[in-house]
Amino acid sequence: MPADLDPYVAMTQKVRLTFLFPWINIPFTQAAMNGHTISPSITTLIRENPTNNIKVARQLGVKFMPYDRWHKSRPKSGESACREHGKVPTREHGVGKRWQARWRNREGIQQTELFRTEAEARRHETKMRSGVDDGSYINPRAGEVRVGELALTWLKGHEHKNPRTYRRHRERVHLHIIPTAVGKMRVKDVNASSLLDWLHDRRRLLESSTLRLVFDDLRAVFDLAVDDSLIPKNPCLAKSVQDAKPKRGDGGRAELTLTWEDTEKIRAELPDRYKALVDCGRGLGLRQGEIFGLSPEDIDWAHPDGPMVHVQRQVVHDGSFLVYALPKGGNDEDPKDRWVELTDDVAIPLREHMEKYPPVEVTRPWGSKGGDPVAVQLIFYTREKTAIQSNWFNSYRWKPALAAAGLIKPLDPNTKGRRWEKSRDMMMHALRHLYASMMINGGVDVYTLADRLGHADPAFTLRKYVHRIVGAGSKIRIAVQSAYTRAA
């Protein structure tokens, strides 16, 4: 026995290694070690690597030997060997895969998996043992659950959230994850290639912005798989998948899709009761639903800083049902309400509208179809004195105005499907982009602008909402001239 090896320590480590590697037996005597080098001694080695059993075993010269199912490891005297391998066969000889990798999980329970070759079994066994030691161990059988099944589990975690948000998650999962090839795969079998095929398939059906939302849901499902130790890493985060996924800026434009002159044409073509909607969009930067939910009670004409609009609700869809709700992203803890300056240029047409079409009280549920009824005096409403339904307004009021203004073309009326050419970038939301670009061009800092738009991240405001303004180049000339004048 080595001079620096305490007998008690030697016995202790023998027990430890025998427990971890039950298929080995290392007698701690100099003669039985047969040249195994212990440098440093076992005592020092264990002290320096208190949890890394794999490293200790390798230093001791232990080799990981998968179990041979087809042959006996301790044959009895006189037993005949097989012709193929020259070893004494077991009852399972020639049946199934020959080599069995064996290891113990973090709870000390033995795990096994079969392989065709010894090399494959040895690599897997080493990988599993190393994972147990460094804390990265994942049970290979844990990922047997189907992606679609796990997606349903993920959905349950969102039931308590905003019911409209939950419904959108549910629609995306049931339409674009569960019935697809990826949805039917086992979680552990999904790799970058299968996700690239899924993205290619979905791109034929979905626009970039919608596909990005579906991909985010799928990524969250795999995040759950990682959290549950079903897989070691999220395949959605693979570089090739990240390069191919729809980006937040996909489809964005450097130029405005609607100029001020375009909005004047649209305003002229809209029915009279809807003309002031344009002023609220381009002059206040409100979302469509926020304009539809605007009330005279939201306007503070006597505000110390001048007239202000309190944006505190919107009209949205809960399925096909209209409800009142907090502004986008709002909840009980943070309603996401905000104040926006009301200039005379917007106040005048807004007053004229309310004189001609006095606000009416419209009662809708709050938050969801089953929410408590809330009565609100609405500035904008239909001829039937109901809240404006966005899909109806877009199809039968806004798009005809775009066509009349020469901004889009009608399609063949005899063909089924859409009536107008695609005009996603020219819908009412484009008025909000125009407002943002004008504010930046007018010298408003991005932090103030983000606050008025209801954005938590000013970088998002710059990336998504600010566009080039015609004639803005003259400001560059003025700025350069001013710099030279001051220096002179």
Side-chain angles (χ1 to χ4, degrees), residues 26 33 82 94 114 133 137 289 322 336 343 354 356 362 375 379 447 465:
I26 304 178
M33 284 186 177
C82 67
L114 300 180
D133 270 353
Y137 174 76
L322 290 183
K336 298 291 184 183
T343 64
M354 288 189 285
K356 193 168 185 179
V362 178
I379 294 177
Y447 293 95
Y465 279 80

Side-chain angles (χ1 to χ4, degrees), residues 66-250:
Y67 175 69
D68 185 353
R69 296 176 54 250
W70 290 4
H71 304 98
K72 294 182 178 182
S73 58
R74 297 175 182 175
K76 296 180 181 180
S77 177
E79 290 185 309
S80 301
C82 67
R83 294 181 179 179
E84 184 179 0
H85 305 103
K87 297 181 179 180
V88 176
T90 64
R91 293 181 180 179
E92 297 175 327
H93 188 272
V95 179
K97 295 178 181 179
R98 176 180 175 183
W99 297 96
Q100 184 182 68
R102 293 179 175 183
W103 68 96
R104 293 184 182 274
N105 62 18
R106 283 174 287 194
E107 290 73 35
I109 302 173
Q110 182 169 288
Q111 308 292 311
T112 63
E113 188 161 346
L114 300 180
F115 293 88
R116 185 177 57 84
T117 67
E118 180 182 7
E120 291 173 332
R122 182 183 295 110
R123 283 194 297 269
H124 185 77
E125 187 171 301
T126 303
K127 178 181 178 182
M128 294 299 101
R129 292 180 185 280
S130 298
V132 172
D133 270 353
D134 62 23
S136 63
Y137 174 76
I138 299 292
N139 187 343
R141 293 185 178 84
E144 297 286 340
V145 63
R146 304 289 170 176
V147 174
E149 297 174 18
L150 189 64
L152 294 177
T153 301
W154 175 79
L155 268 179
K156 290 180 181 179
H158 289 71
E159 288 181 347
H160 69 286
K161 297 184 178 180
N162 185 302
R164 291 177 290 103
T165 302
Y166 170 72
R167 185 173 290 105
R168 288 193 287 270
H169 283 309
R170 187 179 65 187
E171 289 175 353
R172 292 195 288 262
V173 166
H174 281 276
L175 290 176
H176 302 293
I177 295 179
I178 292 178
T180 65
V182 165
K184 297 173 183 177
M185 293 176 67
R186 296 181 300 180
V187 170
K188 69 176 185 179
D189 293 336
V190 177
N191 54 26
S193 296
S194 52
L195 290 177
L196 291 175
D197 289 340
W198 177 84
L199 284 170
H200 176 74
D201 178 63
R202 294 298 99 183
R203 275 198 172 92
R204 295 183 297 178
L205 303 174
L206 303 173
E207 294 187 358
S208 179
S209 58
T210 304
L211 179 56
R212 178 172 56 80
L213 295 174
V214 178
F215 180 83
D216 287 345
D217 285 352
L218 182 61
R219 183 187 62 189
V221 171
F222 282 106
D223 282 340
L224 175 60
V226 173
D227 293 342
D228 284 349
S229 297
L230 303 182
I231 52 177
K233 58 184 179 181
N234 191 332
C236 292
L237 301 181
K239 185 179 184 303
S240 57
V241 178
Q242 288 292 304
D243 290 342
K245 75 172 186 177
K247 305 299 190 296
R248 184 175 290 274
D250 283 2

